[in-house]
Amino acid sequence: WTLVLASIEVAGNYLVYIESENAKQALKEVVEEIAEGIAGDAVRLASHAGRKTVKAGDIKLAAKQQ
């Protein structure tokens, strides 16, 4: 009676199966929090570079700094 609600490929090799609504919600919240941090840092990097536009490199650098 296990229902798989989502599967995620991790590092190209592993699958994480989320079997409960609580686990799905917890993962969503954590991913959103991390993404918000990366986005905020990327905006600051773009601003520091004198740009209003966030580039892919800003996001990648911000993610490495997390």
Side-chain angles (χ1 to χ4, degrees), residues 26-44:
L27 177 61
K28 178 181 177 283
E29 290 170 6
V30 169
V31 169
E32 285 177 352
E33 184 177 317
I34 292 168
E36 288 173 2
I38 291 170
D41 289 348
V43 167
R44 283 187 282 283

Side-chain angles (χ1 to χ4, degrees), residues 2-7 16-25:
T2 299
L3 174 64
V4 177
L5 298 174
S7 63
V16 177
Y17 294 101
I18 302 170
E19 299 178 356
S20 74
E21 192 62 35
N22 289 340
K24 181 180 175 183
Q25 183 62 32

